[in-house]
Amino acid sequence: MYILALNCGSSSLKYKVFEEDTLKSIVSGTVEKIGLPDSFVTQKYPDGTKQRKDVSMQNHNEALGVVLTLLREASIDMNAISAVGHRVVMGGDKYASSVEVNDEVIKTLTELSPLAPLHNPSGILGIVTAQQLLPNAKQVAVFDTAFHQTMPDYAYRYAVPEAWYKDLGVRRYGFHGTSHLYVSKRAAAMLDKPADKCNLITAHIGSGASMAAIKNGKCIDTSMGMTPTAGLTMGTRTGDIDPSIVLYVMGRLGITAEQMTTFMNKQSGLLGLTQCSSDRRDVEGNKDTDDKCRLALDVEVNNVKKYIGAYMAELGGNVDAIVFTAGVGENDDWLREQYCSGLEGMGIKLDKKLNSEALARKGYGDTVISTPDSKIKIMMIPTDEELVIAEDARAIKRGTYNPDHLKMDYSFAKLNSKQR
């Protein structure tokens, strides 16, 4: 039997098939450019081989149909898929854990779509399509926001009229929760401490980026807000800005709310600062000759340091480890060094040699990259959101799921060969 993990983005679909009993990855892939004429799917196998298929896919319904065809060609029996785990970006404050999908769940997710208009509609479509194409499989929703629902009210409430909170849902939700959950469990295992005894600062830094403060295994604050636009400087998103800027620019330029949303989410961040690229590799490659690139990186590094300092304060200075993950966090040793530079007085000491070697793209798994005398350990841990999705789906299917993630028996919460 198999578990299928699905991650539906606004114009993409990622998937991975696991053996149900062993949770061994069998095949994975990504569909890109859904809705465009040059859409394609790339399927990957454990031996490293890849298969690409160029095919027009106008929506997620068609995309999932193509994926299932490729899985059949890879000898995956559709009748053997016992559960499908779906990544859902916005669960609001309705869901603090993963749930089996039913009509009421779909209704609630539809009602929450205005809070995540680029992601929830595609996620819902993925669920409905999977229900139709895989009617015998249990459908499970795994929420980006769930891990952050342990935040205290003073962390998630904004200082705005109470009616905005009660009637419009204006509050901090946080995102990347599945990734923060995974790396926090791995960090606890590496520390050889129970997860509920660990205080961590986790940094999921990719094109989108967020950080979380974790006290005794539970999230108490996170950098993203009501939407994924807030917090750190990102590839194309603003991160934190003065809210009055939005009103000022809209008035001066005469632009609509929709146009402003595009500016803040797709034309800002590193791209807005450099005017040339949102990719850190390009920006770093030009930092010594292009002052805009230098500035963009300095802004990003400064913001990461500010959040580290803020979360150190929230955790009372009692921090076991800082964890870097996601595309940049796992593979950009130069930026990791910049994030940690100058923090030695706070007990954060990076080992430059270990840091330069610890690159996920070169096969490194969970790695401590701090010096032996560093009061706070620094770690690079490759995230595995699909494994979390698969484990939650399997547990709900088997009736063994515990909505309290600290009591859930996750396989990855144990030390294994991934650690170096």
Side-chain angles (χ1 to χ4, degrees), residues 395-410:
I396 286 177
K397 179 248 179 182
R398 292 181 171 183
T400 60
Y401 181 68
N402 193 320
D404 182 346
H405 66 79
L406 289 175
K407 297 178 181 178
M408 177 70 178
D409 186 23
Y410 284 114

Side-chain angles (χ1 to χ4, degrees), residues 140-310:
V140 174
V142 181
F143 303 95
D144 259 16
T145 47
F147 180 72
H148 303 300
Q149 292 307 298
T150 53
M151 287 188 291
D153 55 2
Y154 57 80
Y156 69 72
R157 285 290 299 273
Y158 293 116
V160 297
E162 186 177 20
W164 294 11
Y165 166 65
K166 288 187 173 180
D167 300 336
L168 303 176
V170 175
R171 54 156 287 177
R172 183 183 307 278
Y173 293 106
F175 300 88
H176 296 143
T178 307
S179 177
H180 288 289
L181 182 153
Y182 176 85
V183 299
S184 68
K185 305 296 186 190
R186 293 299 307 143
M190 293 173 71
L191 291 164
D192 196 24
K193 293 179 67 173
D196 63 0
K197 303 297 183 184
C198 288
N199 289 353
L200 305 166
I201 297 173
T202 53
H204 176 108
I205 302 180
S207 180
S210 67
M211 292 175 64
I214 299 171
K215 184 175 184 178
N216 295 328
K218 293 185 176 181
C219 177
I220 62 167
D221 206 349
T222 189
S223 60
M224 284 182 168
M226 176 175 156
T227 74
T229 312
L232 304 175
T233 307
M234 297 175 244
T236 62
R237 298 177 202 157
T238 59
D240 292 336
I241 61 171
D242 179 343
S244 292
I245 292 172
V246 176
L247 301 177
Y248 170 76
V249 173
M250 289 178 68
R252 290 297 301 271
L253 299 184
I255 60 177
T256 65
E258 183 177 358
Q259 289 172 314
M260 176 54 74
T261 298
T262 298
F263 275 119
M264 291 192 299
N265 284 279
K266 296 185 178 181
Q267 298 177 25
S268 297
L270 296 178
L271 179 61
L273 287 167
T274 64
Q275 293 297 293
C276 66
S277 180
S278 63
D279 191 307
R280 269 83 163 190
R281 292 166 295 188
D282 296 333
V283 179
E284 283 180 39
N286 291 288
K287 69 181 186 301
D288 295 327
T289 57
D290 187 331
D291 197 58
K292 291 179 181 178
C293 291
R294 186 276 309 165
L295 173 63
L297 293 171
D298 284 350
V299 168
E300 174 179 355
V301 168
N302 188 57
N303 285 337
V304 170
K305 287 183 177 182
K306 284 197 292 186
Y307 269 98
I308 289 175

Side-chain angles (χ1 to χ4, degrees), residues 199 201 309-320 346-347 375-376:
N199 289 353
I201 297 173
Y311 290 165
M312 287 277 288
E314 284 195 76
L315 293 168
N318 180 21
V319 178
D320 294 297
M346 300 168 67
K375 178 183 176 182
I376 298 171

Side-chain angles (χ1 to χ4, degrees), residues 70-204:
L70 283 175
L71 292 179
R72 291 189 189 95
E73 293 175 359
S75 301
I76 302 295
D77 181 358
M78 295 298 102
N79 293 320
I81 296 177
S82 63
V84 183
H86 300 264
R87 179 214 178 196
V88 179
V89 168
M90 173 58 78
D93 56 7
K94 306 295 183 183
Y95 300 108
S97 60
S98 301
V99 297
E100 181 178 355
V101 175
N102 55 29
D103 291 343
E104 183 61 29
V105 170
I106 292 178
K107 178 176 180 292
T108 301
L109 296 184
T110 301
E111 293 170 350
L112 290 169
S113 287
L115 296 176
L118 296 178
H119 293 92
N120 264 36
S122 58
I124 294 167
L125 183 56
I127 291 171
V128 172
T129 302
Q131 288 176 322
Q132 295 170 347
L133 299 180
L134 298 168
N136 297 322
K138 191 174 290 291
Q139 309 293 326
V140 174
V142 181
F143 303 95
D144 259 16
T145 47
F147 180 72
H148 303 300
Q149 292 307 298
T150 53
M151 287 188 291
D153 55 2
Y154 57 80
Y156 69 72
R157 285 290 299 273
Y158 293 116
V160 297
E162 186 177 20
W164 294 11
Y165 166 65
K166 288 187 173 180
D167 300 336
L168 303 176
V170 175
R171 54 156 287 177
R172 183 183 307 278
Y173 293 106
F175 300 88
H176 296 143
T178 307
S179 177
H180 288 289
L181 182 153
Y182 176 85
V183 299
S184 68
K185 305 296 186 190
R186 293 299 307 143
M190 293 173 71
L191 291 164
D192 196 24
K193 293 179 67 173
D196 63 0
K197 303 297 183 184
C198 288
N199 289 353
L200 305 166
I201 297 173
T202 53
H204 176 108

